[in-house]
Amino acid sequence: MKKNNIQPKPCQLVIFGGTGDLTHRKLLPALYNLTVQDLLPEGFVLVAIGRRDKTSKSYRQEAYKSVKEFSRLEVDEAAWWSLEERIYYQRFDFREDPGYLKLNKFLQEMDEKYQTKGNRIFYLTVAPDYFGVIVDKLETHGILKNASSTWPRVVIEKPFGHDLKSARHLNDKLTRVFSEDRIYRIDHYLGKEMLQNIMVIRFANTLFEPLWNNKYIDNVQIISGETAGVGNRGGYYERAGALRDMVQNHMLQLLTLTAIEPPGDLETESIRDEKVKVLKKLADFEPDKIDDFAIRGQYGPGYIKGEKVFGYREEERTSPESNTETFVALKLFINNWRWAGVPFYIKTGKRLPKKSTEVIIEFNSHLHPDYLQDFTSLEPNLLVIRIQPREGVYLQFNGKEPGSRQKIIPVKMDFCQNCQIGTNSPEAYERLFYDIMLGDQTLFTRWDEVEYSWRFIDKLSRAWERIKPDFPNYAAGSKGPKAADELLVKDGRKWWEI
Ligand code: BG6
């Protein structure tokens, strides 16, 4: 993943929410993996901030345990020590002033010690209600004043708002203090190897791009299923639901990358401009006809891998009468020259039979008429970009069955990226951290992307609010509500299961 071996400049990373789940499961292991790959700058300091009573020593011990448990690379003690000695913990309530005074002094001392020259990254993985308070206090206490042209930087975890209004409010607070070129809005899907590969597959191959339009593509399916339920995140999820939790961000990112026009160059803003154009062209819809293109579901009790699991309404911190959706299927259109008439089907849900994310391109069946007459069971050509857990590309086409006179069967070419020995793709957060340190915003969401995606999602959720759903409507471990299958059957199509 080294970008031509560029070493980031020395910097300090300050994590607000340093004791949280995301920090332990994802951020600390990612930083450790960057250490092993020699991708952290020599002058690097991590300051974790939390409200719990800990010392840097006890925090380091906990961090070590998390890295042991969650790192993709084996833990090498020497590599760990070299990171560990640069980790510090500061305890304070980030709503109160005294902590910021202490933090300011501490960061100045670290600047001296590690020659970090005021290069600071503030990573906010706390409830969004606190984003505004934190950035205001950082500014008031002069913690941002060592600014150069691109530092300090601020990193914001999702959710970026609950709807367009709250997202705007949040953005206003941020931009009062940080300019857009210093704001890194995380969508961790953009850090996944195969998402970055979508543009390469499209624009670095003569084979695919000429066919990438409505003349040759019948439909596109973007599917992301999970076997997990909401776990202990019921409190958050009750207000979010699958539409806000997965579709507004990850699924729409997958859609824009699949659908964008070739950018004029590969500069950050050129790519982001093209992504926004796709979102702007999402076809409008009549709220009264929402059932024709949007299906929602909520899981009831069922079985996952043979084990009985609760329904959503019985999960921790959810209401027994909850109408929050845990499943969404959509049929979308993009109103532009390339995609007019091509449905983009999106499906995502919790407690589905398998964890997997794929983009499936189904091509038209333009065949020799004689083949069409004789072989009624011909399959269309499919190109599948496998995002996770298996990463790769799968191509299905028709061939003659060996030994038969003329029998046609679907055959496949299957490139598996992470099955090859020695291939262990970087975790999304490794790439994202590395890019933040380099100041590359390509894999982060620009404000107008957020804005246009919320416009679309708000309209959908308003239409849904008017109708009471009949939940739960699918059993945990099943394929989701029947209506989601019917959505495609009505169009003479089916969801592909590869
Ligand atoms: C998160 C959502 O953004 O993405 C979770 O909040 C979801 O609900 C997760 O489970 C899925 O991410 P991944 O990388 O496991 O596909």
Side-chain angles (χ1 to χ4, degrees):
M1 116 152 134
K2 259 186 188 179
K3 286 190 171 171
N4 309 325
N5 298 328
I6 306 171
Q7 267 280 340
K9 294 217 171 86
C11 61
Q12 303 188 28
L13 170 65
V14 183
I15 302 183
F16 284 85
T19 55
D21 201 49
L22 185 84
T23 305
H24 280 277
R25 282 173 177 269
K26 299 287 183 189
L27 307 188
L28 290 165
L31 290 169
Y32 169 75
N33 288 325
L34 288 173
T35 312
V36 175
Q37 296 164 90
D38 201 19
L39 291 172
L40 278 189
E42 275 204 4
F44 176 82
V45 186
L46 165 62
V47 184
I49 294 175
R51 274 187 274 184
R52 295 186 207 159
D53 192 11
K54 293 180 199 304
T55 59
S56 291
K57 188 167 171 224
S58 64
Y59 186 79
R60 287 171 182 177
Q61 283 162 353
E62 287 169 16
Y64 175 68
K65 275 200 207 135
S66 304
V67 169
K68 270 263 189 206
E69 188 174 350
F70 300 113
S71 163
R72 81 181 161 91
L73 300 173
E74 281 274 306
V75 177
D76 168 80
E77 300 297 319
W80 167 251
W81 290 328
S82 78
L83 175 65
E84 185 196 64
E85 61 185 18
R86 294 181 277 169
I87 299 179
Y88 299 88
Y89 181 76
Q90 294 260 309
R91 177 195 171 204
F92 67 83
D93 181 336
F94 37 72
R95 293 166 299 184
E96 312 282 342
D97 290 310
Y100 291 88
L101 292 168
K102 205 171 69 174
L103 179 67
N104 196 10
K105 196 159 162 279
F106 185 75
L107 295 182
Q108 282 169 9
E109 282 165 25
M110 292 296 117
D111 267 344
E112 288 291 311
K113 185 167 172 190
Y114 293 96
Q115 293 303 301
T116 41
K117 302 194 169 113
N119 297 343
R120 293 170 188 172
I121 299 167
F122 297 94
Y123 197 117
L124 312 191
T125 163
V126 293
D129 292 348
Y130 296 124
F131 291 164
V133 180
I134 294 174
V135 296
D136 278 350
K137 293 214 181 284
L138 287 173
E139 197 198 21
T140 322
H141 289 278
I143 300 174
L144 308 174
K145 77 173 182 302
N146 287 346
S148 66
S149 56
T150 62
W151 301 87
R153 300 172 186 161
V154 67
V155 187
I156 306 290
E157 266 297 335
K158 70 176 270 252
F160 200 86
H162 176 76
D163 51 16
L164 180 57
K165 191 168 164 230
S166 55
R168 270 197 188 131
H169 183 66
L170 176 58
N171 204 50
D172 288 348
K173 286 190 166 166
L174 282 178
T175 48
R176 262 204 303 260
V177 177
F178 289 93
S179 51
E180 178 68 34
D181 58 348
R182 294 163 192 225
I183 303 176
Y184 294 72
R185 298 181 194 84
I186 296 247
D187 182 318
H188 79 280
Y189 267 50
L190 290 174
K192 292 187 192 274
E193 274 292 319
M194 288 306 292
L195 256 85
Q196 294 156 43
N197 218 346
I198 295 178
M199 279 183 54
V200 178
I201 289 165
R202 284 189 55 190
F203 303 133
N205 290 296
T206 331
L207 197 58
F208 302 125
E209 189 50 25
L211 308 181
W212 214 265
N213 55 56
N214 57 4
K215 289 189 198 66
Y216 298 100
I217 292 181
D218 177 82
N219 74 89
V220 177
Q221 301 184 9
I222 302 176
I223 304 176
S224 189
E226 296 183 81
T227 49
V230 284
N232 57 11
R233 295 168 73 222
Y236 149 77
Y237 201 87
E238 275 287 85
R239 283 200 72 217
L243 189 65
R244 293 182 174 89
D245 185 51
M246 288 294 290
V247 182
Q248 183 266 336
N249 35 70
H250 311 324
M251 302 306 277
L252 287 184
Q253 287 292 343
L254 280 162
L255 176 126
T256 51
L257 287 172
T258 308
I260 54 169
E261 293 300 312
D265 53 46
L266 295 179
E267 296 300 320
T268 304
E269 299 314 328
S270 314
I271 296 173
R272 290 163 140 196
D273 287 346
E274 292 305 331
K275 286 167 70 190
V276 174
K277 284 186 201 161
V278 174
L279 294 170
K280 281 187 181 169
K281 287 289 173 189
L282 279 176
D284 205 2
F285 56 87
E286 286 178 45
D288 291 342
K289 298 204 174 134
I290 190 161
D291 290 346
D292 294 345
F293 62 88
I295 307 297
R296 57 187 158 158
Q298 185 194 74
Y299 64 85
Y303 289 87
I304 296 280
K305 292 186 192 133
E307 280 206 14
K308 189 152 178 41
V309 293
F310 289 129
Y312 177 76
R313 291 177 175 186
E314 292 86 55
E315 299 275 19
E316 240 177 81
R317 279 179 277 164
T318 64
S319 152
E321 276 132 45
S322 173
N323 282 330
T324 299
E325 79 286 348
T326 59
F327 176 101
V328 173
L330 301 175
K331 174 163 95 173
L332 306 179
F333 288 94
I334 300 167
N335 276 341
N336 63 15
W337 179 247
R338 184 185 290 266
W339 294 115
V342 177
F344 281 71
Y345 298 106
I346 286 183
K347 179 162 79 166
T348 181
K350 294 205 182 283
R351 288 290 192 221
L352 295 181
K354 62 174 182 175
K355 164 99 183 154
S356 111
T357 305
E358 285 168 347
V359 178
I360 302 165
I361 315 290
E362 178 177 334
F363 291 90
N364 287 330
S365 295
H366 293 158
L367 310 176
H368 189 294
D370 286 356
Y371 284 139
L372 269 180
Q373 270 168 25
D374 293 350
F375 300 93
T376 46
S377 62
L378 283 179
E379 296 272 353
N381 294 161
L382 297 179
L383 174 72
V384 183
I385 303 176
R386 296 183 193 265
I387 310 289
Q388 64 180 14
R390 193 179 145 124
E391 297 170 356
V393 179
Y394 168 104
L395 185 64
Q396 175 180 289
F397 52 101
N398 291 311
K400 179 179 157 297
E401 187 178 64
S404 71
R405 279 202 65 213
Q406 266 299 13
K407 186 168 179 213
I408 297 186
I409 51 165
V411 293
K412 58 183 181 183
M413 293 202 306
D414 200 356
F415 160 62
C416 176
Q417 178 158 290
N418 56 348
C419 301
Q420 295 168 33
I421 296 167
T423 311
N424 190 350
S425 296
E427 285 268 347
Y429 279 98
E430 291 173 43
R431 174 63 194 262
L432 296 176
F433 265 135
Y434 184 59
D435 282 8
I436 297 164
M437 290 188 289
L438 290 182
D440 183 342
Q441 291 184 300
T442 315
L443 301 181
F444 299 85
T445 322
R446 199 170 66 186
W447 165 245
D448 48 356
E449 288 179 64
V450 178
E451 180 170 9
Y452 280 96
S453 55
W454 272 127
R455 276 177 197 231
F456 186 77
I457 297 296
D458 277 2
K459 198 164 175 197
L460 252 172
S461 62
R462 275 198 300 269
W464 269 343
E465 270 163 23
R466 299 188 340 206
I467 317 156
K468 193 165 175 285
D470 190 15
F471 283 168
N473 60 353
Y474 70 99
S478 72
K479 288 183 187 165
K482 284 208 178 62
D485 288 340
E486 284 154 18
L487 186 70
L488 272 75
V489 171
K490 278 192 271 181
D491 294 347
R493 300 188 175 101
K494 63 174 182 186
W495 294 105
W496 288 100
E497 279 173 48
I498 307 301

